[in-house]
Amino acid sequence: MTQNSGSLRAKTQAFGGFLTAMVIPNMGAFIAWGFITALFIPTGWLPNGDLAKLVDPMIKYLLPLLLAYTGGQLVHGQRGGVAGTIGAIGLIVGSAIPMFLGAMLMGPGSAWVVKKWDALVQPRIRPGFEMVVNNFGLGILGFGLTLLAYKVIGPAVLAINEGLTWAVDGLLSTGFTPVLALLNEPAKVLFLNNVIDQGIYYPIGMQQSAEAGKSLFFMVASNPGPGLGLLLAYWFFSGSKVMRQTAPGAIIIHFLGGIHEIYFPYVLSKPITLLGMIAGAASGIATAQLFGVGLTAGPSPGSIIAYMLLTPSGSFVGVIADVLVATIVSFLVTAAILKASARRDALKEDAELQAELDEAKARSAAMKQEGKDVLAGRMATTTGGASVAAAMSTEGAADQAVDRQIRTVVYACDAGMGSSAMGASVLRKRVEKAGLSVAVSHAAIEKVPPGTDVIVTHKNLVDRARRVTGDAEVVAIENFLADSRIDDLFARLEHQDQHQTRS
């Protein structure tokens, strides 16, 4: 039963990871649309009827087509992206509402059809006919997919959208929207939030924003207040010295940087604090609903800075109240929980407390990694099997590569953001402080630049990294922010610099 539930969670995480990979590269376009909406619609900061004409074409055509292209590209490269765009236009033209949900379905679906066609036909193409067969094959399939989307898939997606809209209207009219916190907060620490946020809230939010200039659904899962309250409570009331010392840095990364993953280990180390997160999130949703506020687009990352930039005219008081109330409620509930257990925690040795935090971080990373592994087409062995042994074998490989000249180090993770970006930032500061001539950056594994000397990645992604990075050395770690192998790599860089100086 446990194995089946874990597998289901991992598959759900993988689906959420695919949605994230489809949405995140296009967030700049969504935010640009949000700025145009916030500024130029009749209720905006600078009402302008001429510039407001940009709003409808962008939300109806540009944004859904970007999603469709990106989703198709993820499935079958550029040909998949083109196929996804051709298929999605049939949905868009045949609908009076923004087709975000349809584009997220039709883009990858169309690409899958073309991928299967290519696998069947391309091995049988006679030399010299490749371009004709490939171009006309994609054109004919695209023609059929467009008609299918216009006549069949479009009406089905509209029916689904109407059902979701009915459910949303029901929640809003009955005042039960705060109960979404019962779903959102546990989903976050299980790394299932992308399924909910990008799969449900964002499409509904964009539709509402197109009609009203704002939407509450951009705030129900992205509110930085509950996480801030949790971390403040750990800072002031935790019986663990380690937790108190690490909380301030986590607050900056979470609240200003918008990387909510940083607080997940704190919840996992004491799961009962999830009650504080739920209470804070529910209170924030209730406050936003009371003030009738929303954001013009989805804040990504979920930073207070993004919140302020995407707040429409007349909503600042309500949005600030939303975050403030969520913070206070989460802080009070979590503080009460921590104070109740502080006496017991105070009796523990700091080493034991550090071990608990490390274990929680590892558990948090492992849950996230499960989804990434399924998305990559495999499940990593987590019980000490051959794949883990192979991953950890890079420690020996690193010893053999001490004499290798290192000029570039790239932190790589599934999406090339979040954890890898933070890890690269930490090492880069150490390198700059030491005056070393080494470039440190971050990237998605599939986009690591050619010629990279060393790739730092999670141990469960080592095999994937080796398949796409040529002869680059791969350093396997368990924690992007603090790991002994990162310290070993830095020592090698210092040794290399000293050796070059002597030479």
Side-chain angles (χ1 to χ4, degrees):
M1 181 67 179
T2 302
Q3 184 176 359
N4 291 337
S5 62
S7 176
L8 177 62
R9 186 188 70 228
K11 291 177 181 178
T12 308
Q13 289 171 348
F15 177 63
F18 184 84
L19 293 177
T20 300
M22 200 186 318
V23 173
I24 293 299
N26 298 306
M27 282 309 301
F30 281 81
I31 292 172
W33 177 86
F35 283 144
I36 292 171
T37 303
L39 289 171
F40 302 129
I41 63 173
T43 57
W45 287 97
L46 301 170
N48 186 308
D50 185 38
L51 295 178
K53 293 177 183 178
L54 294 167
V55 173
D56 286 343
M58 287 182 71
I59 194 172
K60 187 172 182 180
Y61 296 102
L62 175 64
L63 300 180
L65 289 175
L66 282 174
L67 289 176
Y69 181 86
T70 306
Q73 188 181 44
L74 289 170
V75 173
H76 191 43
Q78 185 179 16
R79 281 174 65 80
V82 173
T85 306
I86 297 172
I89 196 66
L91 298 176
I92 294 168
V93 174
S95 172
I97 64 172
M99 264 293 172
F100 293 103
L101 181 60
M104 294 170 78
L105 296 172
M106 197 66 193
S110 300
W112 180 84
V113 171
V114 173
K115 182 178 182 179
K116 293 299 180 182
W117 168 264
D118 287 349
L120 178 66
V121 172
Q122 285 186 354
R124 297 173 172 82
I125 300 175
R126 291 182 176 275
F129 289 87
E130 294 87 354
M131 185 175 293
V132 172
V133 174
N134 286 336
N135 288 345
F136 275 86
L138 179 56
I140 293 169
L141 288 174
F143 165 75
L145 289 166
T146 301
L147 296 182
L148 181 67
Y150 185 79
K151 289 293 187 180
V152 179
I153 299 176
V157 173
L158 280 174
I160 295 172
N161 185 83
E162 289 175 1
L164 290 173
T165 303
W166 176 83
V168 168
D169 290 341
L171 277 175
L172 292 174
S173 62
T174 57
F176 286 160
T177 313
V179 303
L180 292 174
L182 293 171
L183 174 66
N184 298 335
E185 298 313 308
K188 283 183 181 180
V189 296
L190 293 174
F191 293 97
L192 301 176
N193 52 308
N194 291 326
V195 178
I196 301 169
D197 218 9
Q198 271 93 36
I200 300 175
Y201 295 152
Y202 272 34
I204 294 174
M206 292 301 291
Q207 185 174 333
Q208 287 187 343
S209 185
E211 297 170 358
K214 61 186 177 183
S215 176
L216 169 67
F217 283 89
F218 291 133
M219 304 170 66
V220 293
S222 62
N223 191 342
L228 175 61
L230 172 100
L231 293 171
L232 286 171
Y234 266 101
W235 188 9
F236 291 111
F237 296 107
S238 176
S240 163
K241 182 179 178 182
V242 172
M243 296 287 197
R244 290 198 304 272
Q245 290 176 339
T246 56
I251 287 172
I252 295 173
I253 294 171
H254 163 71
F255 194 63
L256 299 180
I259 301 174
H260 292 199
E261 294 175 3
I262 197 72
Y263 74 75
F264 295 175
Y266 292 82
V267 177
L268 291 171
S269 68
K270 197 177 291 291
I272 195 173
T273 57
L274 190 60
L275 296 176
M277 298 296 297
I278 293 172
S283 301
I285 295 171
T287 302
Q289 192 170 7
L290 178 65
F291 279 89
V293 297
L295 302 181
T296 60
S300 182
S303 160
I304 188 61
I305 298 173
Y307 257 56
M308 294 297 97
L309 290 175
L310 295 174
T311 298
S313 174
S315 294
F316 273 98
V317 173
V319 170
I320 293 172
D322 166 26
V323 177
L324 186 61
V325 169
T327 301
I328 293 172
V329 172
S330 175
F331 172 78
L332 292 175
V333 175
T334 306
I337 293 171
L338 293 177
K339 288 179 71 176
S341 60
R343 182 174 301 176
R344 182 190 62 196
D345 290 346
L347 299 176
K348 295 182 179 180
E349 295 292 335
D350 282 347
E352 184 179 356
L353 293 170
Q354 177 69 61
E356 287 182 359
L357 179 59
D358 290 343
E359 181 183 356
K361 288 180 178 179
R363 190 161 65 248
S364 174
M367 284 192 296
K368 181 177 182 180
Q369 197 58 47
E370 279 183 324
K372 290 182 178 179
D373 289 338
V374 172
L375 185 60
R378 64 179 178 84
M379 281 294 292
T381 303
T382 57
T383 55
S387 65
V388 172
M392 301 308 290
S393 68
T394 54
E395 185 175 9
D399 292 338
Q400 297 174 6
V402 171
D403 295 330
R404 179 175 181 172
Q405 184 71 19
I406 301 174
R407 299 181 181 85
T408 56
V409 176
V410 176
Y411 275 66
C413 65
D414 194 57
M417 294 173 284
S419 53
S420 62
M422 288 190 296
S425 177
V426 172
L427 181 60
R428 188 184 303 113
K429 289 179 180 178
R430 294 178 67 181
V431 167
E432 291 174 351
K433 186 176 180 180
L436 308 180
S437 300
V438 178
V440 182
S441 60
H442 60 94
I445 286 182
E446 283 76 13
K447 296 183 179 180
V448 172
T452 297
D453 297 314
V454 175
I455 299 165
V456 180
T457 191
H458 191 274
K459 65 180 183 181
N460 290 340
L461 293 173
V462 167
D463 292 339
R464 185 173 163 193
R466 286 174 174 162
R467 285 198 298 268
V468 298
T469 54
D471 62 350
E473 178 189 344
V474 180
V475 175
I477 60 173
E478 295 183 0
N479 188 322
F480 277 95
L481 294 180
D483 192 287
S484 61
R485 292 172 185 81
I486 297 176
D487 295 333
D488 293 342
L489 174 61
F490 182 73
R492 286 173 54 197
L493 298 177
E494 287 187 310
H495 175 75
Q496 169 184 283
D497 183 72
Q498 293 169 0
H499 179 73
Q500 291 175 340
T501 302
R502 287 195 299 267
S503 301

